[in-house]
């Protein structure tokens, strides 16, 4: 036998490696989150997320057109309302920034898919993802009382033109209730991408600054999943698919690639991975400190999510990634 018997290095040459790549990230599979605020001509940089800003509706629509030109597949809209209250009524206000941006984007950037985050935390004065049980002394989120409000929010988003509703609240049963409400209002074609597997994660820190949505008291551990659990992720996914989820999401992404792979193996629906604010901030700040190459680190992280089984990638760096990959 000649030695070495096999030479895997032969395929790693510059001439061949791109031909034999098993995984690719395409701009069309990227989803760019946008934070939308009231007003005109507003662009407020978010200190903990270099390169990300809160945008007024006009700016968000203009950004959408650029993203469409870059071939980015979709935007995921998050709202920062003017006023908050106990029930989060701003979430379903037809004049709210998310609804207005959805309308504008559908008109001005028709090739871009419009997705909307469906949750109450940015709209409630207490910052929880649902309404509080008034009888409890501490902040207890009332699951079933929240469902109707989420359904109202989903319908308002669909009425504004959202093509995909993305519930991120983690209340039990919300996918089914949202599906029923959409169907009843004539929105059978509007899809649901559920945050099926959303962990109670420290990596959401910068996002809560961006959306001003940190809970005033307590934390989200009574509704978001324990990072210790993988089997439970499959249970959540199974329930959401049974209730009508068209796409299931895992979040955060990079620290949870084992979960992405397990979910991919367990279901037939498309799987999305969300590179959350803390993951994005780690790469940005490390690059700014000269510790790593931003472009290489970002592309590698996104590739790893695809390799683990994610079809869709939600990333704050979607525009840059599309430029670098395209
Ligand atoms: C709100 C929501 C959060 C994120 C998406 N939707 C924050 C949270 O649950 O506290 C996190 C996104 C990110 O960190 O990039 N329900």
């Amino acid at each position: 036998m000649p030695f070495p018997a096999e030479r895997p290095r032969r395929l790693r040459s510059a001439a061949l490696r791109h031909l034999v790549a098993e995984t690719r990230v395409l701009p069309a599979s990227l989803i760019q989150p946008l934070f939308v605020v009231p007003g005109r001509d507003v662009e407020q940089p978010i200190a903990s997320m270099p390169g990300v800003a809160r945008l007024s509706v006009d700016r968000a629509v203009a950004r959408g057109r650029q993203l469409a030109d870059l071939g980015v597949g979709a935007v995921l809209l998050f709202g920062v309302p003017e006023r908050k209250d106990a029930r989060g009524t701003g979430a379903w206000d037809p004049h709210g920034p998310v609804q207005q941006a959805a309308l504008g984007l559908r008109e001005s950037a028709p090739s871009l898919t419009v997705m909307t985050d469906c949750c109450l935390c940015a709209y409630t004065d207490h910052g929880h993802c649902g309404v509080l049980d008034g009888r409890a002394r501490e902040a207890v989120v009332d699951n079933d009382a929240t469902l109707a409000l989420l359904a109202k929010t989903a319908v308002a988003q669909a009425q504004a033109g959202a093509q995909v509703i993305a519930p991120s609240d983690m209340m039990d049963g919300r996918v089914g209730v949202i599906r029923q409400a959409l169907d009843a209002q004539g929105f059978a074609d509007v899809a649901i991408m559920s945050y099926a597997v959303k962990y109670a994660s420290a990596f959401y820190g910068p996002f809560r600054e961006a959306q001003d949505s940190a809970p005033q008291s307590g934390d989200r551990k009574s509704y978001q999943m324990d990072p210790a659990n993988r089997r439970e992720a499959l249970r959540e996914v199974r329930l959401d698919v049974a209730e009508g989820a068209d796409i299931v999401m895992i979040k955060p992404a990079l620290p949870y690639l084992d979960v992405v792979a397990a979910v991919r193996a367990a279901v037939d629906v498309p799987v999305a991975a969300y590179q959350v604010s803390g993951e994005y901030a780690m790469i940005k700040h490390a690059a700014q400190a000269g510790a790593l190459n931003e472009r290489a680190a970002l592309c590698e992280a996104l590739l790893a999510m695809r390799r683990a089984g994610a079809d869709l990638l939600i990333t704050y760096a979607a525009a840059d990634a599309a430029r670098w990959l395209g």
Side-chain angles (χ1 to χ4, degrees):
M1 237 285 262
F3 183 83
E6 291 198 39
R7 292 186 182 274
R9 286 186 57 193
R10 208 177 278 132
L11 296 175
R12 293 183 198 139
S13 69
L16 291 183
R17 60 186 292 142
H18 70 283
L19 290 173
V20 298
E22 296 173 34
T23 311
R24 291 172 213 275
V25 181
L26 297 174
S29 56
L30 300 176
I31 301 169
Q32 171 79 54
L34 294 179
F35 297 105
V36 195
V37 293
R40 265 196 74 79
D41 239 8
V42 181
E43 186 149 353
Q44 304 166 336
I46 299 154
S48 56
M49 300 175 72
V52 180
R54 297 190 204 92
L55 305 172
S56 51
V57 171
D58 54 318
R59 295 275 180 118
V61 171
R63 182 67 50 89
R65 279 197 298 264
Q66 293 166 355
L67 290 163
D69 288 343
L70 288 166
V72 169
V75 285
L76 176 59
L77 304 180
F78 291 92
V80 186
E82 216 136 31
R83 274 180 304 279
K84 302 179 188 243
D85 57 34
R87 282 169 23 100
T89 59
W92 57 88
D93 177 358
H95 305 293
V98 162
Q99 276 73 263
Q100 291 301 306
L103 271 172
L105 285 161
R106 287 300 306 279
E107 213 172 274
S108 302
S111 66
L112 196 67
T113 301
V114 175
M115 304 180 159
T116 48
D117 182 80
C118 184
C119 192
L120 302 182
C121 60
Y123 303 90
T124 52
D125 50 15
H126 46 74
H128 279 287
C129 299
V131 287
L132 300 186
D133 181 343
R135 291 161 306 182
R137 252 183 310 125
E138 285 161 31
V140 175
V141 175
D142 185 337
N143 190 93
D144 297 6
T146 300
L147 297 179
L149 307 186
L150 292 168
K152 253 168 131 79
T153 304
V155 168
Q157 293 174 341
Q159 280 166 341
Q163 292 147 307
V164 181
I165 308 296
S168 68
D169 53 285
M170 288 300 276
M171 298 303 120
D172 292 331
R174 91 275 206 213
V175 172
V177 169
I178 288 172
R179 184 70 272 160
Q180 271 178 5
L182 289 172
D183 290 355
Q185 298 294 319
F187 295 112
D189 290 341
V190 171
I192 297 176
M193 174 171 74
S194 76
Y195 290 65
V197 184
K198 180 175 179 181
Y199 287 95
S201 171
F203 291 99
Y204 306 153
F207 173 94
R208 292 181 187 168
E209 179 203 335
Q211 214 196 7
D212 183 25
S213 61
Q216 298 296 312
S217 68
D219 53 39
R220 304 205 202 286
K221 288 183 182 154
S222 78
Y223 40 104
Q224 298 181 350
M225 279 181 50
D226 183 347
N229 296 353
R230 178 167 56 183
R231 217 171 35 229
E232 188 188 357
L234 300 181
R235 183 181 189 206
E236 281 284 4
V237 163
R238 202 165 14 84
L239 289 169
D240 280 10
V241 170
E243 289 176 33
D246 300 286
I247 303 170
V248 291
M249 187 210 297
I250 294 103
K251 157 183 189 196
L254 205 60
Y256 295 86
L257 292 185
D258 59 323
V259 180
V260 173
V263 169
R264 172 67 294 159
V267 292
D268 298 327
V269 296
V271 172
Y274 195 147
Q275 182 186 46
V276 299
S277 56
E279 296 177 67
Y280 171 84
M282 284 199 298
I283 292 178
K284 281 286 189 181
H285 289 294
Q288 284 182 353
L292 47 77
N293 176 313
E294 179 184 348
R295 176 176 173 161
L298 184 87
C299 290
E300 184 178 330
L302 296 177
L303 187 72
M305 294 164 204
R306 289 274 297 129
R307 194 192 59 237
D311 304 289
L312 303 169
L313 305 176
I314 303 162
T315 170
Y316 297 96
D320 281 339
R323 250 180 243 119
W324 294 333
L325 298 161

